[in-house]
Amino acid sequence: MTKEQITKSLVNLALIGCQRLNKQYQQYSKEIEEFTDHELFELISQHPTIHLKRISAIVKLIQRGYLLKEIFDT
């Protein structure tokens, strides 16, 4: 394999990874759409910092008007 072929392969893999990540984020966003604020705070406390479901819950709370300080202080 040439350097160019390796580079193209890596770029394709990165693109596929981004597409899968976006699809999963969209799925989690739909899933938590109807959650109450309390349920979202529970979800945040149950998942590791880098878990996409936790990130989705944080984004949803921000959209509902919460500040990051309020989210992480609870």
Side-chain angles (χ1 to χ4, degrees):
M1 251 187 169
T2 68
K3 225 178 191 182
E4 184 179 339
Q5 290 171 323
I6 293 172
T7 302
K8 285 180 181 180
S9 295
L10 290 174
V11 169
N12 283 332
L13 283 174
L15 181 59
I16 290 168
C18 289
Q19 290 170 340
R20 291 188 68 199
L21 187 62
N22 182 45
K23 184 177 179 179
Q24 190 174 18
Y25 175 78
Q26 296 301 325
Q27 177 186 352
Y28 287 152
S29 292
K30 287 179 187 176
E31 182 181 318
I32 66 171
E33 187 68 34
E34 301 300 320
F35 281 21
T36 64
D37 292 355
H38 179 73
E39 291 171 322
L40 290 172
F41 279 108
E42 281 184 13
L43 192 144
I44 290 169
S45 68
Q46 295 171 354
H47 288 82
T49 305
I50 60 169
H51 195 283
L52 194 54
K53 193 174 269 191
R54 177 185 166 125
I55 294 169
S56 300
I58 292 169
V59 169
K60 179 54 68 183
L61 286 170
I62 290 170
Q63 290 172 344
R64 292 183 183 178
Y66 286 91
L67 300 174
L68 284 176
K69 183 179 185 325
E70 296 169 320
I71 295 169
F72 293 117
D73 283 348
T74 51

